[in-house]
Amino acid sequence: MFALLLFMGCSEAHEHTAPAVNPEDSVSMMTTYGVNTLISDSGVIKYRIVTEQWDVNTVRQPSRWEFMKGIFFEQFDEQFHVQAYIQADTAWYYDQERLWKLRGRVSLRNVDGLVFTSDELYWDGMKHEFYSHCYSKLVTPERTIEGTYFRSDEQMTHYRISNSVGSFLAEDFEDDVEPADTTTISAP
């Protein structure tokens, strides 16, 4: 009886397979640690990216670069002078849409002394604009503005802040017909 049970137990083959991999669980195509890289545009160095970890994932939809341990991003002019910097705790770059999504202690500073801080900032490379749907604070040499919605051009010279509070100059509102809870400012 024992031999019969042993024979029947050994005759059936069991296939041991792992469950299917979901696209959400896909592994990065490239992971790089300790990144400090310069990026050129038409042979001229324009940007520098510094991050502890950079993951490139082309399998996920939409495909993206992930900076889960923070990012520091600098922009240079032709003489290699810093024009602006952006830093954040976490960032994603959606390469097909040319869209940066920055989260957690986002800070942006440009050569004109403008400082932007928020918990979220999007940088749309197709539309050439920044925007945020979170509380944001904008400090310029002339004024300080805070609000819950922010939109600006890439140069941070024309920006719009909704539900705003802050210090303003009287000439900021000349010929301005915006609603009371929205502020649109153009830098001089």
Side-chain angles (χ1 to χ4, degrees):
M1 178 94 131
F2 178 71
L4 181 61
L5 286 174
L6 183 65
F7 178 72
M8 288 178 57
C10 294
S11 64
E12 292 183 31
H14 292 288
E15 209 173 298
H16 299 285
T17 59
V21 175
N22 294 325
E24 296 82 27
D25 300 331
S26 63
V27 179
S28 296
M29 183 182 93
M30 177 191 80
T31 299
T32 307
Y33 299 99
V35 177
N36 186 349
T37 187
L38 298 172
I39 300 171
S40 65
D41 182 13
S42 303
V44 177
I45 294 175
K46 290 283 198 175
Y47 307 101
R48 179 171 80 143
I49 295 177
V50 179
T51 184
E52 190 176 325
Q53 181 177 336
W54 180 355
D55 294 308
V56 175
N57 194 319
T58 56
V59 176
R60 292 180 105 178
Q61 292 301 321
S63 64
R64 67 195 76 181
W65 302 351
E66 297 177 340
F67 304 88
M68 302 309 285
K69 296 188 177 184
I71 190 168
F72 179 78
F73 186 84
E74 281 182 308
Q75 181 181 17
F76 303 106
D77 65 7
E78 292 80 23
Q79 287 77 36
F80 208 60
H81 296 117
V82 176
Q83 294 298 297
Y85 78 79
I86 301 174
Q87 63 185 30
D89 290 340
T90 309
W92 297 266
Y93 176 66
Y94 299 94
D95 55 338
Q96 302 298 316
E97 294 88 8
R98 295 180 51 198
L99 177 68
W100 283 92
K101 178 180 175 183
L102 302 128
R103 284 275 173 94
R105 294 186 296 174
V106 179
S107 178
L108 180 147
R109 182 180 184 107
N110 70 9
V111 72
D112 299 326
L114 180 139
V115 178
F116 170 88
T117 55
S118 182
D119 283 330
E120 167 191 86
L121 181 65
Y122 291 87
W123 180 5
D124 191 328
M126 298 279 218
K127 296 179 182 176
H128 302 286
E129 66 182 8
F130 292 105
Y131 61 91
S132 177
H133 302 288
C134 290
Y135 168 81
S136 303
K137 183 175 182 179
L138 187 73
V139 179
T140 69
E142 298 85 29
R143 64 185 66 87
T144 299
I145 308 167
E146 302 172 34
T148 57
Y149 174 79
F150 172 80
R151 185 171 296 274
S152 173
D153 60 345
E154 281 183 332
Q155 291 74 35
M156 297 291 265
T157 55
H158 297 84
Y159 42 87
R160 179 184 186 112
I161 299 175
S162 297
N163 299 327
S164 57
V165 297
S167 60
F168 306 96
L169 302 174
E171 56 266 17
D172 289 341
F173 297 103
E174 291 177 6
D175 302 328
D176 200 6
V177 290
E178 294 291 329
D181 68 340
T182 301
T183 303
T184 302
I185 306 288
S186 295

